Tab-separated table of all heavy atoms in Angstrom:
chain	number	residue	atom	x	y	z
A	2	GLU	N	271.436	63.268	207.015
A	2	GLU	CA	271.855	61.876	207.007
A	2	GLU	C	272.363	61.475	208.379
A	2	GLU	O	272.666	62.312	209.205
A	2	GLU	CB	272.957	61.684	205.988
A	2	GLU	CG	274.179	62.499	206.369
A	2	GLU	CD	275.416	62.028	205.694
A	2	GLU	OE1	275.725	60.849	205.829
A	2	GLU	OE2	276.052	62.835	205.048
A	3	GLN	N	272.473	60.194	208.561
A	3	GLN	CA	273.080	59.710	209.786
A	3	GLN	C	274.584	59.604	209.598
A	3	GLN	O	275.100	59.674	208.501
A	3	GLN	CB	272.514	58.343	210.133
A	3	GLN	CG	271.071	58.443	210.583
A	3	GLN	CD	270.535	57.089	210.992
A	3	GLN	OE1	271.044	56.060	210.581
A	3	GLN	NE2	269.514	57.106	211.799
A	5	HIS	N	278.091	58.143	209.024
A	5	HIS	CA	278.509	57.050	208.155
A	5	HIS	C	278.963	55.842	208.940
A	5	HIS	O	279.047	54.750	208.419
A	5	HIS	CB	279.665	57.509	207.263
A	5	HIS	CG	280.929	57.734	208.016
A	5	HIS	ND1	281.793	56.717	208.314
A	5	HIS	CD2	281.446	58.843	208.592
A	5	HIS	CE1	282.802	57.186	209.011
A	5	HIS	NE2	282.611	58.472	209.195
A	120	PHE	N	286.673	56.091	197.686
A	120	PHE	CA	285.562	56.687	198.430
A	120	PHE	C	284.288	55.886	198.181
A	120	PHE	O	283.831	55.774	197.039
A	120	PHE	CB	285.340	58.150	198.020
A	120	PHE	CG	284.385	58.825	198.947
A	120	PHE	CD1	284.806	59.242	200.197
A	120	PHE	CD2	283.051	58.994	198.598
A	120	PHE	CE1	283.912	59.818	201.092
A	120	PHE	CE2	282.155	59.565	199.491
A	120	PHE	CZ	282.592	59.984	200.732
A	138	PRO	N	272.751	58.187	203.703
A	138	PRO	CA	273.198	58.844	202.481
A	138	PRO	C	272.896	58.058	201.198
A	138	PRO	O	273.078	56.841	201.165
A	138	PRO	CB	274.706	58.970	202.662
A	138	PRO	CG	275.063	58.350	203.947
A	138	PRO	CD	273.835	57.872	204.629
A	142	HIS	N	273.794	62.538	197.720
A	142	HIS	CA	274.600	63.078	198.826
A	142	HIS	C	276.070	62.702	198.642
A	142	HIS	O	276.956	63.558	198.724
A	142	HIS	CB	274.107	62.560	200.182
A	142	HIS	CG	275.125	62.813	201.260
A	142	HIS	ND1	275.228	64.022	201.912
A	142	HIS	CD2	276.130	62.040	201.738
A	142	HIS	CE1	276.247	63.975	202.760
A	142	HIS	NE2	276.814	62.781	202.676
A	143	ASP	N	276.319	61.437	198.414
A	143	ASP	CA	277.706	60.976	198.367
A	143	ASP	C	278.466	61.573	197.186
A	143	ASP	O	279.634	61.946	197.322
A	143	ASP	CB	277.754	59.435	198.296
A	143	ASP	CG	277.493	58.805	199.655
A	143	ASP	OD1	277.668	59.492	200.682
A	143	ASP	OD2	277.124	57.619	199.696
A	147	HIS	N	280.348	64.876	198.331
A	147	HIS	CA	281.722	64.498	198.689
A	147	HIS	C	282.712	64.485	197.532
A	147	HIS	O	283.892	64.746	197.735
A	147	HIS	CB	281.726	63.086	199.294
A	147	HIS	CG	281.144	63.024	200.671
A	147	HIS	ND1	281.817	63.466	201.783
A	147	HIS	CD2	279.949	62.569	201.121
A	147	HIS	CE1	281.071	63.280	202.867
A	147	HIS	NE2	279.920	62.742	202.495
A	183	TYR	N	285.014	63.979	211.270
A	183	TYR	CA	284.407	63.778	209.946
A	183	TYR	C	283.134	64.606	209.836
A	183	TYR	O	282.888	65.288	208.845
A	183	TYR	CB	284.104	62.291	209.754
A	183	TYR	CG	283.780	61.894	208.334
A	183	TYR	CD1	284.775	61.455	207.476
A	183	TYR	CD2	282.469	61.929	207.863
A	183	TYR	CE1	284.484	61.071	206.170
A	183	TYR	CE2	282.167	61.554	206.564
A	183	TYR	CZ	283.179	61.126	205.719
A	183	TYR	OH	282.880	60.750	204.434
A	187	VAL	N	284.202	67.191	207.258
A	187	VAL	CA	283.878	66.621	205.941
A	187	VAL	C	282.391	66.811	205.633
A	187	VAL	O	282.019	67.071	204.484
A	187	VAL	CB	284.279	65.136	205.892
A	187	VAL	CG1	283.942	64.527	204.538
A	187	VAL	CG2	285.763	64.975	206.187
A	188	GLU	N	281.538	66.723	206.630
A	188	GLU	CA	280.101	66.874	206.368
A	188	GLU	C	279.609	68.322	206.514
A	188	GLU	O	278.706	68.740	205.788
A	188	GLU	CB	279.282	65.983	207.311
A	188	GLU	CG	279.518	64.489	207.137
A	188	GLU	CD	278.948	63.917	205.842
A	188	GLU	OE1	278.332	64.653	205.052
A	188	GLU	OE2	279.159	62.709	205.603
A	203	ALA	N	279.903	68.169	202.840
A	203	ALA	CA	278.961	67.439	201.991
A	203	ALA	C	277.545	67.446	202.559
A	203	ALA	O	276.571	67.424	201.814
A	203	ALA	CB	279.433	65.996	201.825
A	204	GLY	N	277.435	67.473	203.870
A	204	GLY	CA	276.109	67.441	204.499
A	204	GLY	C	275.301	68.676	204.160
A	204	GLY	O	274.123	68.572	203.799
B	301	LIG	FE1	278.388	62.102	203.843
Side-chain angles (χ1 to χ4, degrees):
E2 63 161 305
Q3 289 183 338
H5 69 84
F120 190 77
H142 165 83
D143 282 339
H147 288 284
Y183 194 92
V187 180
E188 296 289 359

